[in-house]
Amino acid sequence: MKRIITISILLFCSLAGLFAVNVTPYYDPFDSMDDVFTSPARLVEESGVTHFAFDVEAFSGIDLLAYLSNPAFLEEFSDRLYRYYRNADLSFWSEGAYSEFRNAFSFDDSDTLPQRPVDDLTLAQMRAYLDDSFSRRFDSAQKASAVLSASGSSTAAAAFSDDVLYSDLNLSLGFRGGAVYGNGFGWQIESNMGFIGNRNMLEDRMNLLAVDVRADVGYAIHLFSDRFSIGGSLELLAAMNNYISNHNFLGARFNDDVVSMFSENFKFGLGFGVDFGSMYRHNEELAFTLDFVNLVSLRKYYDLELTDFVDYNGFDEDEAVYYQPMDLVLRAIWDSGPYHIMVEFSNVIDQIFWMKEIDGYRYDFFSIPKFSFAYDINEDLSIRTRLGFSRLSLGLDYKSFSIEVSSALDEFGFGIKAGMRF
């Protein structure tokens, strides 16, 4: 008992010392809450071997698809930019604001561009230039170019504060394999790669290009009786990340130059995570689980600068320690013959962390409840549906093959996911 207390004190002191240094939250797009290792107490009831499985997923908003097919789509936001500059007064036109204005309209003849407004006369000349240019001089491509440049500026980006170029882009591919032995013990090896976009491409946000390899091991036991079980899991991970700004992503398509997307360092790191869970089985059909996911989830990165791909001079240590905010997940699981229902409440705690870290982040109560339903038509075929995070998905499982289509409920976007297990 003394040894356990000593180890607990040392662990607490280590974590306290860790959080005394620079710590930064991170979001793991491949951390699936549907994974049994994030609800490890269920390992006492699971069994099976997956020699190899893969999943491929693609989701995107229609706005982004329209832009990728025709970059002149940005012209739709040019009226907002016109009104923003048109209504600006003299106090707005500092040297920095004027420099960004000239950069946004650099495609125009430099002799045509008005001088920086410093009095009523030059302000009137600026407004006359805007009236004439947006009404009859600029074509679609030029207006789109001005919007693109302004969206990446520190001043004119405010023009699009009420506009949304809906993305939620998710292009991902995952591989996995593992075994759960039926005695509470299980393991899994998984690899993921993908490009994860944020919701609004007109905001000053980052998209994530990520590749990782992770190994999970978990163990669960019955406690007190066969009705109650507890379990824990450990995840070890090696990852590579690169963050790409919205402006760079849009600009790479606009200029047909993929390389221009990359301006940030590539991050290579190692990490680990610990989950703990409990399960109470009320009867053969109904069970409840309570899981502490990301109870501890830490990563340490080393940076590789873009110039190192040409002139390598070694990795630079990222002084920050990255942690994934913990969360509490409560589920009710009901299985009766061919019917399977799961009701979940999660993302209650982690949103509090993100509200403090991300400017403008609003607590989303609608992301807390999730619901899924599945019906087994026969031994080989089942259909399922899931509602959560303002998305509705419909899926079909046939033997080892699965396919799912999904749609956003609050914006115009859709996706498809397919996978196979061997």
Side-chain angles (χ1 to χ4, degrees):
M1 185 66 180
K2 291 182 178 180
R3 181 178 298 178
I4 296 176
I5 295 176
T6 301
I7 293 175
S8 300
I9 293 175
L10 291 175
L11 179 61
F12 175 80
C13 292
S14 299
L15 293 175
L18 181 63
F19 278 84
V21 301
N22 181 18
V23 292
T24 304
Y26 73 89
Y27 167 69
D28 184 352
F30 306 123
D31 190 12
S32 173
M33 292 298 101
D34 296 329
D35 194 327
V36 68
F37 292 96
T38 61
S39 185
R42 293 159 55 192
L43 287 168
V44 295
E45 297 183 352
E46 300 286 337
S47 64
V49 176
T50 300
H51 299 287
F52 177 75
F54 74 89
D55 295 290
V56 59
E57 181 176 4
F59 186 96
S60 177
I62 296 298
D63 288 349
L64 181 60
L65 293 178
Y67 172 76
L68 293 177
S69 63
N70 180 17
F73 174 79
L74 287 182
E75 180 193 9
E76 291 193 5
F77 304 96
S78 61
D79 285 344
R80 180 81 68 172
L81 180 64
Y82 160 73
R83 291 194 298 269
Y84 181 79
Y85 277 132
R86 181 66 172 76
N87 296 330
D89 56 20
L90 287 174
S91 62
F92 170 83
W93 292 104
S94 64
E95 290 287 352
Y98 181 68
S99 177
E100 291 183 350
F101 164 82
R102 289 186 63 92
N103 185 56
F105 297 92
S106 60
F107 54 82
D108 202 5
D109 190 341
S110 60
D111 294 333
T112 306
L113 289 172
Q115 62 182 348
R116 183 173 75 89
V118 293
D119 53 32
D120 291 341
L121 177 60
T122 51
L123 181 61
Q125 291 174 346
M126 172 64 75
R127 290 172 175 173
Y129 167 82
L130 293 169
D131 292 340
D132 178 62
S133 299
F134 277 88
S135 63
R136 67 181 186 87
R137 292 182 59 246
F138 293 161
D139 59 25
S140 298
Q142 290 173 326
K143 291 179 181 180
S145 176
V147 170
L148 175 61
S149 180
S151 68
S153 71
S154 59
T155 56
F160 314 111
S161 59
D162 297 326
D163 291 317
V164 176
L165 198 165
Y166 180 59
S167 170
D168 264 346
L169 181 64
N170 182 357
L171 301 174
S172 59
L173 175 64
F175 305 95
R176 68 184 184 279
V180 179
Y181 295 102
N183 59 359
F185 177 73
W187 62 272
Q188 177 178 266
I189 296 178
E190 181 180 0
S191 178
N192 303 283
M193 59 190 74
F195 185 90
I196 312 300
N198 55 71
R199 182 179 179 83
N200 184 5
M201 282 292 176
L202 292 179
E203 292 182 331
D204 183 19
R205 304 292 187 194
M206 290 289 186
N207 307 281
L208 176 63
L209 176 66
V211 178
D212 68 39
V213 177
R214 57 185 77 195
D216 297 283
V217 60
Y219 186 65
I221 59 172
H222 288 293
L223 190 66
F224 305 127
S225 72
D226 290 343
R227 290 181 177 269
F228 185 73
S229 61
I230 60 172
S233 64
L234 171 67
E235 180 176 84
L236 302 177
L237 172 143
M240 183 281 291
N241 295 338
N242 185 264
Y243 291 94
I244 299 170
S245 70
N246 282 342
H247 183 259
N248 283 1
F249 178 80
L250 296 177
R253 173 62 186 95
F254 196 90
N255 300 310
D256 289 328
D257 183 8
V258 176
V259 177
S260 64
M261 281 199 307
F262 301 99
S263 61
E264 303 294 324
N265 294 339
F266 280 80
K267 292 181 174 294
F268 295 84
L270 300 173
F272 73 95
V274 175
D275 297 330
F276 177 81
S278 60
M279 180 176 69
Y280 172 72
R281 177 152 293 283
H282 180 68
N283 53 43
E284 292 184 357
E285 297 180 344
L286 181 63
F288 299 93
T289 64
L290 180 63
D291 300 300
F292 296 88
V293 296
N294 302 315
L295 191 60
V296 179
S297 183
L298 302 173
R299 294 187 186 184
K300 182 65 176 176
Y301 285 100
Y302 291 83
D303 293 347
L304 187 66
E305 298 178 356
L306 297 180
T307 55
D308 287 332
F309 289 95
V310 179
D311 183 18
Y312 176 74
N313 62 359
F315 286 87
D316 301 315
E317 181 180 0
D318 186 335
E319 295 183 358
V321 174
Y322 293 84
Y323 74 96
Q324 188 171 3
M326 70 160 293
D327 197 24
L328 202 61
V329 182
L330 175 64
R331 294 186 181 94
I333 305 171
W334 183 74
D335 298 291
S336 178
Y339 301 98
H340 311 278
I341 294 176
M342 179 183 293
V343 179
E344 175 184 315
F345 296 92
S346 57
N347 299 106
V348 176
I349 299 176
D350 62 345
Q351 288 196 78
I352 298 175
F353 286 87
W354 293 120
M355 287 179 64
K356 294 182 178 180
E357 294 294 332
I358 300 178
D359 294 336
Y361 187 96
R362 296 181 181 180
Y363 200 94
D364 183 8
F365 286 94
F366 293 102
S367 69
I368 295 176
K370 289 93 175 174
F371 173 83
S372 65
F373 169 78
Y375 175 71
D376 299 329
I377 298 175
N378 53 48
E379 292 183 358
D380 297 329
L381 181 64
S382 65
I383 56 175
R384 52 188 164 81
T385 183
R386 178 177 173 85
L387 177 64
F389 294 108
S390 298
R391 289 189 189 179
L392 177 64
S393 64
L394 299 173
L396 178 72
D397 297 321
Y398 178 69
K399 294 185 178 180
S400 60
F401 175 75
S402 65
I403 188 169
E404 176 181 285
V405 293
S406 59
S407 174
L409 300 180
D410 55 346
E411 294 286 353
F412 194 12
F414 64 91
I416 185 170
K417 181 178 181 180
M420 184 165 286
R421 173 180 171 180
F422 302 93

